[in-house]
Amino acid sequence: MSTVVLEPLAPPAPAPATPAGQPRRWLGLFAILAATIMNLLDTTVVNVGAPAIQASLGGSFTSLQWIAASYTLALAVGLLTGGRLGDMFGRRRVLLVGVVGFVSASLLCAVAWSPESLIAARVVQGLFAAVMVPQGFGLIRDLFPPREIGKAFGTFGPIIGFSTILGPVVAGALIDADLFGTGWRMVFAINLPLGIFALLAGRAALPAAPASRARTRLDVTGAVTAAVGMVLLVFPLVQGRELGWPLWTFAMMVASVPVFGAFAVRQLRRTRAGSGRHPLVELSVFTRRSYTSGVLFVVVFFGAIAGFSLAVGMFLQLVLGYSPMKASLTMAAWAVGAFLGSGFGSTMMHRLGRRILHIGLALMLVGIGVLYPVFQLEGVGTRELLAPLLVYGVGMGMIFVPLFDIIMGEVRDHEVGSASGILESLQQLGAALGIAILGTVFFSHVDVGVERVTLIAFGLTAATFAVGFLLPKKARR
């Protein structure tokens, strides 16, 4: 599953642009796009490259789960502070630092010599992605005058959509081509030319807004506390199957509860303290049932998508014996559907409001309901999978664009930055949990794993359909 950070964590600083906008604003936009595309590529790479990585480096199925989950977990942790760094030190500077760190980590992934070294490099990748990606939308507002903002974002969406479609296909082609004997390593090395372009174009075209260190003090302790809580929750879910579920795995999951409680207490104290001690999370947003329901929706929805996507990708290669290229082309129907659905969702979100979510979820249930018996067919192939994957993708895409705007429909203006930041972080945490839980179900019985995961994903999607009735009826404008 590909993900995009939808809003900056805090309101952007006043744009330094003249009424005519920055003179190289379109070059700056493409620098931001290059950075965003790198994140999209590395979110989905494991679904295509995991069997080739395992054949090259060895390791267990649990290692494959960690190669996927480590990135999204690190991204979830980093997003709590990533957007605020742009406010403190300037969005241009932070974006460029993020690009350099992300590309460096990508090269470490490309030369990994063991599953453990690759997992460690993926963690670094995720942390720098959390620094890099949240700066994009604020920089677009700095680059373009009001009359061109709509055009800029209108360009952003389709390019990201096409990247979502072409990314896994390009990854599959690179693995199959095995250029210079690199195999799967080229999937990570491809970030080098993208990163160099983003760095050079960004230095030349992005506005250097002034830093504002005095306004905000970064809550490092709070971020570390949140990270510990997330690791305590996700780690045993991934490792438990391989280790036979010893008692300490359950103890870790239970221990995550008081750690998250300590995080909440710290945020409350910082809110009361004031004097620049801004909390990472404005807890007041959780007093609204609609927003709390939206948090539950996000975790379950993105968890189901991430886990189901991993299972389908592994099924195509490990069970059906597809090559990475054939598997990526088959799953491209899913991405094409998401692209088409996102276009419909973006144009109809204000007219249909919350109903757009239920229409999308209904299509997802139809698609996944058809996939379950298809997975049980003898000799199932690409032809039988394309239509239900397309329908599932259309429904999913219809939800992506309006979801956060609908969830925040009743959030007060001063809470928007924190509320969107929480959702972005929990989106990634949900994905990590989905990979951990549904991945464990799949790898426990690979031959029938995709059928079990499909049933669970159907149930989770049905649960989000019910939770959707608790969300605001109209999207926030």
Side-chain angles (χ1 to χ4, degrees):
M1 178 195 65
S2 58
T3 55
V4 182
V5 177
L6 300 179
E7 288 286 344
L9 294 180
T18 64
Q22 296 290 329
R24 297 182 177 179
R25 53 191 177 277
W26 291 104
L27 179 62
L29 176 65
F30 281 102
I32 295 167
L33 281 167
T36 305
I37 288 169
M38 287 194 296
N39 171 55
L40 289 172
L41 290 174
D42 284 80
T43 302
T44 58
V45 65
V46 175
N47 295 343
V48 177
I53 292 172
Q54 186 181 44
S56 172
L57 300 181
S60 62
F61 288 142
T62 300
S63 298
L64 297 185
Q65 286 177 267
W66 273 122
I67 292 169
S70 58
Y71 182 87
T72 54
L73 185 60
L75 187 56
V77 172
L79 281 172
L80 289 173
T81 57
R84 192 148 292 163
L85 290 174
D87 294 330
M88 295 173 65
F89 302 105
R91 292 186 182 277
R92 174 181 178 270
R93 179 187 301 174
V94 173
L95 177 98
L96 297 181
V97 169
V99 169
V100 172
F102 189 90
V103 172
S104 300
S106 297
L107 294 179
L108 288 176
C109 290
V111 300
W113 57 92
S114 67
E116 293 76 17
S117 64
L118 179 55
I119 292 167
R122 290 280 284 169
V123 170
V124 178
Q125 259 195 325
L127 291 174
F128 277 106
V131 170
M132 175 179 68
V133 176
Q135 318 310 324
F137 278 20
L139 281 168
I140 291 175
R141 293 189 180 100
D142 293 342
L143 280 168
F144 290 88
R147 67 178 182 276
E148 291 185 354
I149 285 281
K151 186 186 298 184
F153 281 108
T155 304
F156 195 93
I159 292 178
I160 294 301
F162 279 119
S163 299
T164 303
I165 297 170
L166 294 178
V169 176
V170 171
L174 289 172
I175 295 171
D176 276 2
D178 195 22
L179 299 173
F180 310 110
T182 55
W184 60 269
R185 299 178 188 274
M186 188 58 68
V187 173
F188 295 105
I190 196 67
N191 287 328
L192 180 60
L194 283 171
I196 290 175
F197 171 80
L199 186 63
L200 295 178
R203 283 177 59 88
L206 293 177
S212 55
R213 292 180 180 86
R215 292 188 304 172
T216 305
R217 299 177 187 177
L218 197 62
D219 183 11
V220 176
T221 302
V224 171
T225 304
V228 171
M230 292 181 190
V231 172
L232 285 172
L233 182 60
V234 175
F235 183 85
L237 289 172
V238 176
Q239 289 294 139
R241 178 190 59 82
E242 185 174 314
L243 300 176
W245 298 105
L247 183 61
W248 62 262
T249 58
F250 297 99
M252 284 185 70
M253 287 185 275
V254 172
S256 69
V257 176
V259 172
F260 284 127
F263 172 76
V265 170
R266 179 173 178 83
Q267 299 311 295
L268 185 61
R269 288 176 177 172
R270 286 180 70 89
T271 300
R272 292 172 177 172
S275 302
R277 296 182 181 274
H278 300 298
L280 295 174
V281 173
E282 290 282 356
L283 296 179
S284 59
V285 297
F286 289 98
T287 61
R288 293 172 184 78
R289 187 192 68 176
S290 60
Y291 183 82
T292 305
S293 302
V295 165
L296 177 62
F297 188 106
V298 165
V299 172
V300 175
F301 178 74
F302 285 100
I305 291 173
F308 185 54
S309 175
L310 177 68
V312 173
M314 294 300 97
F315 169 77
L316 293 176
Q317 296 181 73
L318 298 179
V319 179
L320 297 187
Y322 283 14
S323 68
M325 183 64 181
K326 186 174 181 180
S328 61
L329 286 173
T330 301
M331 293 190 71
W334 185 336
V336 170
F339 176 69
L340 297 174
S342 64
F344 181 83
S346 63
T347 57
M348 299 297 291
M349 59 186 285
H350 291 296
R351 181 179 300 179
L352 295 176
R354 187 176 67 189
R355 286 175 292 174
I356 192 73
L357 302 183
H358 285 113
I359 295 171
L361 288 167
L363 289 174
M364 291 175 67
L365 288 170
V366 170
I368 205 169
V370 173
L371 280 170
Y372 180 71
V374 167
F375 285 138
Q376 297 175 308
L377 293 175
E378 289 288 340
V380 60
T382 299
R383 183 176 59 183
E384 293 82 13
L385 294 170
L386 288 180
L389 285 175
L390 179 70
V391 172
Y392 184 87
V394 169
M396 184 182 74
M398 289 172 64
I399 296 169
F400 273 173
V401 175
L403 178 58
F404 281 18
D405 289 316
I406 291 173
I407 291 173
M408 295 195 296
E410 297 175 2
V411 171
R412 291 191 290 261
D413 289 346
H414 74 276
E415 298 171 331
V416 168
S418 178
S420 62
I422 295 167
L423 292 178
E424 291 155 6
S425 182
L426 289 175
Q427 172 185 339
Q428 302 303 327
L429 177 59
L433 288 171
I435 292 168
I437 298 171
L438 298 189
T440 296
V441 172
F442 176 83
F443 289 122
S444 295
H445 300 279
V446 174
D447 54 338
V448 295
V450 73
E451 299 168 24
R452 297 181 179 183
V453 170
T454 302
L455 283 177
I456 296 172
F458 185 93
L460 293 174
T461 305
T464 59
F465 190 96
V467 173
F469 288 106
L470 301 177
L471 303 183
K473 293 182 178 181
K474 296 183 179 179
R476 185 184 189 88
R477 289 190 179 271

